[in-house]
Amino acid sequence: MPRPSVCLALSTSEKKQTAQKHKPSPESPHEVTFKKSKIKSPVTKRASNVEENGSDDEGDASEMEKNFALLTQKVSLQAPQDEISGGVSDEDVTGERHQAVCSNTSGSDEDENVSKPARGHGVGDELCPKDDFTKDLSEMSFEKVLQLQNKMGTKAYKKIAYGTMKNRQTGETVKQLSKHRPQEISAKKTVPFLRKVVPVKKTILRDPRFDDLSGEFKPEVFNQTYKFINEIRQREAEMVKKKMKKVKSNIKREELKYLLQRMENQERGRQRQEQYRQKDLQFKRKQRELVQQGHRPFYLKKSDKKKLELAEKYSQLKKGGKLENFLSKKRKRNAIKDRRRMPHQKK
Amino acid sequence: SDEVPKRKRKENEVEQEIEETPQEKKLRLAKLYLEQLREEEDKKVEDEAFESDLIAGRLKEDVLEQKGKLQRPLAGGLVAPDPIEIRLLRGHKLSVTCLCITPDEKHIFSASKDCSIIKWDVGSGKKVHKILGGRKGTEARHVGHTAHILCMAISSDGKYLATGDMNKLIMIWEAATCKHLYKFTGHKDAVSGLAFRRGTHDLYSASHDRSVKVWNVDENAYVETLFGHQDVITALDCLGRERCVTAGGRDRTLRVWKIAEETQLVFHGHEGSIDCVQLINEEHMVSGGDDGCLCVWSVGKKKPVSVVKQAHGVHGNAGLKEPCWVSSVAALHNSDTVASGSHNAMVQLWKCGQGFRGLDPLFTIPVTGFVNSLKFSTSGKFLVAGVGQEHRLGRWWRVKDAKNGLYIIPLKRQNREAETEQ
């Protein structure tokens, strides 16, 4: 029974409030709607409180109406101030209102309610509205929480909901004290049987290939510092040749032959890599010169690079006189491949 | 009709008990304590000169004691005694390993490597009682120890005496009659440290198995074990709080065990093995090691507050000089006096500086042999040194011209107060 009466009261007071509202602020309809939503939340709380108390007396309902009327008066008083200060004071306003709600539910005198609007925004209210806020936040529906967040701005909302960093950072001061203090550890953990007689250092295994300490791979630096390895390789190749001459069994000679071939191939591969590197470097140097002169640099595509390499290869083969040989072989290989790819013809 | 009001009174009392909050209980206990103090002080007033604010003085003393602040700055007034006044009590066949003074300063208990315990009378210097040691295989039938006794402790009311030996046993004796009461088994290696908590019958024991055990002697019960040391524990000491300090030989740490909270505070400091430790007051302790260092520690700092290196000089052949091991330390309770003993034929007395920040040597007392144990009497009237030809833990050296026994060294004060000797 009390609920419908409360709703009626709300509707009447709302009308009153809107009537009052329109006079001072006709140009801000959205604020009016916001105020309405604000009013609704304390009312829902009020309703829940009513349910909790479980009092069905009409006296209570009438008292609530009176308090509610006072609340609305307060709202109207604060409305012009809100317009001036904008959204920043909204939190204070809501805080005060929540506080008013709390005090009302505790059954305080009406004089207190009257005196509250006289108080300034957020005077001594820092602690209480925060606690109320978190409690109310948990009670409000998610939609309303989002609305609140939109209104206040996420920064202000987070500050109130979770607290500032200053409040959270207490670990550092405690650490400073414990620097000179003795270590405090549990006395119930059994100690392992083997005793630490000498402090043994654990060796850290490092792979220099993947370690940042080794730095980046630079081929010129590498070639410079490890030049001696090429000489070692040459000597080894000579040794293998000599051994091949001496050795008697055929199998071993075969093995040595393969080994020698591998070594020579590797050497050739390395030299080719060097050549490519050198060519790249030359190209880059040319570009740098052009840039210095003032022209814009241009970069070759991979296909262009390949064409240039092919051209060089042909010119070298021509010098050696093996060009025809090379070209014929290539044509044969291509022919075989093409024939494989052609569709079969059935008889 | 009488029963009804009685029942009502009982109900009221019960209600009062239930309703009493912890704060009210504290208030009630505080009031009781004040009453007790008032009664004690009233009694004292008849004997001593009258001073105003006696109770305030007592409370202040208690607070200072809890905080570990100096109360008796005696060291400045101490004077070296004449060698004639030093008495030697002989009776042990082998080196004396440990000793303890009864709280009323009338008797001294001492134990030695021959597994015997002797109760001496301080005034006359005579043996009151001797508990013989048994031979190695006779543990079952012999009442007493059959292995070297490494440590002993007496409760603060002088009722129980506890002794620990190398056979992993702790024997409890009645101090007045030297009657054997209990035998505590449980340690897995030699028992090397024993101490009673002041005002209670809680016994703390430390052993070579690196554990500290708590026992209740009244109920003949084992309470708990605490772990943490990495090497054998060489000494243990305890005062009024429910915490004890242990010296862990080669792991070079001192640990303060907070028994109620089941935690330990770890202090690092010596370079060699820490062999002995004593509490000066609730917040400070002094320790000696086989590197010759004497260190004073504060509970708030993990490193020693003051260090004296080579406290007893060096010994050995030229070129192979090594510092003399500090085999025992003693501290006068709640004062700034510390004594240390080694095998360089003297017991050194030290004075702690302001805030225990420095250690200044005061004077030396000539004593030949290994000073295996040192204890100050509670009032500071005399110092007892247990001396032997060998170190209490082994036979690295043997001082031939040393005599196995107890030296009772009276400490005189320069001040106008009476020069009482014992």
Side-chain angles (χ1 to χ4, degrees):
Chain A
M1 285 316 288
R3 229 188 286 172
S5 63
V6 166
C7 290
L8 280 171
L10 160 65
S11 56
T12 50
S13 60
E14 230 187 307
K15 282 181 196 162
K16 273 190 224 164
Q17 202 241 343
T18 49
Q20 285 171 358
K21 263 281 156 63
H22 280 298
K23 282 172 201 169
S25 59
E27 17 356 294
S28 52
H30 61 280
E31 270 187 22
V32 172
T33 52
F34 280 143
K35 292 291 181 285
K36 270 196 204 162
S37 66
K38 271 194 199 168
I39 294 161
K40 272 188 192 148
S41 41
V43 166
T44 50
K45 228 162 275 95
R46 209 51 103 51
S48 61
N49 284 334
V50 164
E51 282 167 22
E52 282 171 43
N53 294 340
S55 56
D56 286 331
D57 295 334
E58 288 184 359
D60 270 352
S62 61
E63 198 190 59
M64 266 165 38
E65 283 176 40
K66 276 190 226 163
N67 291 337
F68 200 69
L70 283 164
L71 246 186
T72 53
Q73 269 185 17
K74 198 172 76 163
V75 164
S76 62
L77 277 169
Q78 286 174 352
Q81 292 176 6
D82 281 336
E83 281 179 299
I84 297 161
S85 48
V88 179
S89 66
D90 278 354
E91 46 179 278
D92 295 332
V93 167
T94 49
E96 277 204 39
R97 206 169 290 138
H98 283 300
Q99 202 191 29
V101 165
C102 290
S103 56
N104 285 338
T105 49
S106 64
S108 56
D109 292 334
E110 290 176 24
D111 296 332
E112 270 192 54
N113 292 343
V114 170
S115 62
K116 259 171 204 151
R119 264 202 290 165
H121 287 290
V123 165
D125 276 350
E126 263 124 40
L127 282 174
C128 191
K130 188 189 164 186
D131 291 49
D132 291 356
F133 231 73
T134 44
K135 220 174 31 174
D136 298 339
L137 276 174
S138 59
E139 284 175 28
M140 280 203 283
S141 68
F142 191 60
E143 183 196 25
K144 281 172 190 150
V145 169
L146 281 177
Q147 279 179 356
L148 198 68
Q149 212 174 354
N150 285 333
K151 232 180 297 159
M152 283 209 298
T154 36
K155 223 178 184 179
Y157 171 80
K158 275 190 183 172
K159 220 194 218 181
I160 286 198
Y162 302 112
T164 48
M165 279 305 285
K166 276 186 197 172
N167 301 342
R168 275 185 265 166
Q169 266 180 358
T170 46
E172 265 187 46
T173 43
V174 177
K175 254 193 176 177
Q176 275 180 6
L177 281 171
S178 68
K179 193 179 166 191
H180 297 288
R181 288 240 171 98
Q183 197 190 15
E184 183 155 357
I185 43 181
S186 164
K188 283 296 187 178
K189 292 196 185 139
T190 46
V191 180
F193 179 74
L194 297 172
R195 304 172 196 192
K196 260 195 227 170
V197 181
V198 179
V200 173
K201 286 201 178 170
K202 206 175 171 184
T203 47
I204 314 164
L205 294 168
R206 281 176 44 219
D207 192 336
R209 293 177 293 175
F210 307 110
D211 203 2
D212 287 332
L213 275 175
S214 320
E216 294 291 320
F217 172 69
K218 288 186 188 114
E220 61 270 3
V221 177
F222 180 83
N223 290 336
Q224 194 65 29
T225 51
Y226 296 106
K227 228 188 321 183
F228 63 95
I229 295 182
N230 300 333
E231 277 131 50
I232 295 171
R233 282 200 201 105
Q234 279 174 0
R235 260 183 274 148
E236 278 176 2
E238 278 163 33
M239 267 166 40
V240 172
K241 273 184 215 158
K242 275 190 208 165
K243 205 166 181 196
M244 224 165 64
K245 282 182 204 164
K246 269 197 214 169
V247 93
K248 284 176 190 161
S249 69
N250 275 337
I251 305 162
K252 280 203 178 160
R253 203 184 295 155
E254 289 281 318
E255 280 176 11
L256 284 172
K257 205 172 89 180
Y258 283 132
L259 182 63
L260 188 63
Q261 220 172 41
R262 263 189 79 209
M263 287 162 93
E264 283 172 356
N265 289 344
Q266 278 176 352
E267 186 59 42
R268 249 181 279 137
R270 245 172 267 124
Q271 281 178 357
R272 221 185 309 142
Q273 291 283 342
E274 260 305 303
Q275 279 178 4
Y276 288 156
R277 245 194 67 236
Q278 290 297 329
K279 278 193 194 133
D280 273 336
L281 272 172
Q282 274 184 2
F283 187 73
K284 278 184 189 162
R285 262 185 228 138
K286 270 191 217 162
Q287 297 308 311
R288 248 181 268 150
E289 279 176 19
L290 284 175
V291 166
Q292 275 180 349
Q293 283 174 7
H295 302 281
R296 287 181 86 219
F298 72 94
Y299 302 102
L300 282 173
K301 279 199 291 189
K302 247 189 186 170
S303 51
D304 290 343
K305 272 193 205 163
K306 276 193 177 165
K307 278 183 198 165
L308 276 173
E309 277 166 29
L310 202 60
E312 265 217 47
K313 197 177 183 182
Y314 278 7
S315 61
Q316 274 200 353
L317 282 171
K318 211 174 184 181
K319 267 194 233 164
K322 295 188 183 148
L323 186 63
E324 272 303 318
N325 201 359
F326 176 75
L327 281 173
S328 65
K329 272 194 194 161
K330 202 164 186 182
R331 271 178 217 132
K332 256 193 236 174
R333 245 182 281 143
N334 285 347
I336 294 168
K337 279 185 194 167
D338 290 337
R339 212 185 300 145
R340 232 188 291 152
R341 283 190 202 131
M342 283 290 172
H344 296 283
Q345 277 186 343
K346 278 193 177 176
K347 279 189 185 169
Chain B
S1 61
D2 281 333
E3 287 177 20
V4 172
K6 268 188 200 171
R7 231 185 293 142
K8 276 197 179 170
R9 241 182 287 145
K10 276 191 187 170
E11 281 173 9
N12 287 344
E13 280 172 17
V14 165
E15 274 179 15
Q16 273 174 9
E17 277 177 22
I18 295 166
E19 281 174 18
E20 196 178 57
T21 57
Q23 287 89 2
E24 286 175 19
K25 187 176 179 188
K26 273 188 196 171
L27 187 64
R28 183 168 57 85
L29 289 172
K31 281 186 181 164
L32 269 175
Y33 183 53
L34 283 171
E35 278 295 317
Q36 270 184 0
L37 285 180
R38 214 167 273 135
E39 282 169 29
E40 280 180 33
E41 288 304 314
D42 286 337
K43 279 183 202 165
K44 272 193 188 173
V45 161
E46 291 163 16
D47 301 333
E48 294 174 9
F50 184 76
E51 275 179 45
S52 61
D53 276 8
L54 283 171
I55 293 173
R58 276 289 294 271
L59 285 172
K60 198 175 167 189
E61 266 184 44
D62 280 339
V63 164
L64 284 178
E65 179 156 357
Q66 278 296 308
K67 279 197 182 167
K69 295 225 167 83
L70 181 65
Q71 280 172 255
R72 305 194 276 169
L74 294 171
L78 285 175
V79 168
D82 288 329
I84 311 162
E85 291 160 10
I86 302 172
R87 287 185 292 158
L88 172 60
L89 305 176
R90 296 183 71 177
H92 283 291
K93 285 186 188 153
L94 294 176
S95 305
V96 172
T97 48
C98 52
L99 62 91
C100 60
I101 309 174
T102 54
D104 56 7
E105 297 183 16
K106 288 194 184 139
H107 299 278
I108 301 174
F109 285 93
S110 68
S112 85
K113 280 192 180 179
D114 61 3
C115 319
S116 63
I117 304 171
I118 299 181
K119 181 177 179 182
W120 308 83
D121 179 68
V122 175
S124 59
K126 292 216 160 65
K127 287 181 231 178
V128 174
H129 199 97
K130 182 165 182 178
I131 304 166
L132 287 168
R135 279 184 303 173
K136 212 159 131 184
T138 59
E139 282 93 20
R141 38 195 174 89
H142 182 77
V143 176
H145 287 281
T146 55
H148 292 181
I149 301 172
L150 289 182
C151 51
M152 56 175 16
I154 191 161
S155 60
S156 57
D157 56 359
K159 192 173 169 195
Y160 292 116
L161 173 75
T163 51
D165 69 353
M166 281 193 120
N167 248 341
K168 313 159 198 163
L169 295 172
I170 302 171
M171 307 269 204
I172 307 288
W173 313 82
E174 206 186 291
T177 58
C178 293
K179 194 181 96 174
H180 174 68
L181 292 174
Y182 312 126
K183 209 190 276 190
F184 286 148
T185 56
H187 274 297
K188 294 187 183 150
D189 204 344
V191 179
S192 54
L194 282 173
F196 273 97
R197 189 183 161 202
R198 281 202 192 182
T200 65
H201 289 147
D202 288 334
L203 177 66
Y204 303 126
S205 70
S207 145
H208 282 196
D209 65 0
R210 303 180 272 172
S211 68
V212 174
K213 290 197 194 260
V214 181
W215 313 82
N216 189 319
V217 178
D218 279 332
E219 287 148 42
N220 187 14
Y222 154 83
V223 178
E224 64 180 329
T225 313
L226 304 160
F227 303 98
H229 270 292
Q230 307 279 336
D231 192 34
V232 290
I233 306 180
T234 48
L236 182 144
D237 194 22
C238 178
L239 278 183
R241 284 201 275 194
E242 202 183 352
R243 49 165 78 173
C244 59
V245 62
T246 54
R250 286 258 159 235
D251 71 0
R252 308 191 307 268
T253 60
L254 268 181
R255 285 170 205 245
V256 169
W257 304 86
K258 292 185 179 172
I259 287 144
E261 292 144 46
E262 292 183 357
T263 59
Q264 55 183 300
L265 300 171
V266 185
F267 302 83
H268 297 266
H270 278 267
E271 284 157 7
S273 167
I274 310 183
D275 278 344
C276 42
V277 74
Q278 278 264 304
L279 284 165
I280 308 173
N281 54 33
E282 296 283 2
E283 300 280 316
H284 296 92
M285 48 231 180
V286 59
S287 71
D290 73 352
D291 53 352
C293 284
L294 189 65
C295 296
V296 177
W297 308 75
S298 166
V299 167
K301 267 188 76 180
K302 65 181 175 189
K303 299 264 171 195
V305 171
S306 59
V307 181
V308 175
K309 297 203 174 165
Q310 290 185 357
H312 282 262
V314 289
H315 72 117
N317 304 325
L320 283 172
K321 294 267 176 198
E322 282 210 359
C324 286
W325 298 1
V326 178
S327 48
S328 63
V329 283
L332 188 50
H333 181 58
N334 276 345
S335 83
D336 55 354
T337 321
V338 168
S340 69
S342 180
H343 57 97
N344 68 342
M346 51 178 72
V347 168
Q348 178 79 257
L349 260 93
W350 308 83
K351 175 190 154 104
C352 303
Q354 188 67 264
F356 295 97
R357 259 181 242 282
L359 264 183
D360 307 312
L362 278 176
F363 52 84
T364 63
I365 298 158
V367 166
T368 40
F370 278 86
V371 180
N372 283 327
S373 182
L374 277 175
K375 283 269 156 71
F376 275 103
S377 70
T378 38
S379 62
K381 286 188 186 146
F382 57 91
L383 168 69
V384 185
V387 172
Q389 288 183 333
E390 298 159 0
H391 193 275
R392 67 188 172 102
L393 293 172
R395 194 182 289 161
W396 292 277
W397 302 279
R398 190 162 165 263
V399 180
K400 272 195 189 162
D401 42 343
K403 306 220 164 48
N404 301 322
L406 302 178
Y407 283 89
I408 300 183
I409 302 152
L411 296 170
K412 287 189 283 185
R413 276 177 239 174
Q414 269 173 346
N415 301 343
R416 16 104 203 151
E417 243 167 284
E419 295 172 314
T420 48
E421 306 176 18
Q422 282 242 291

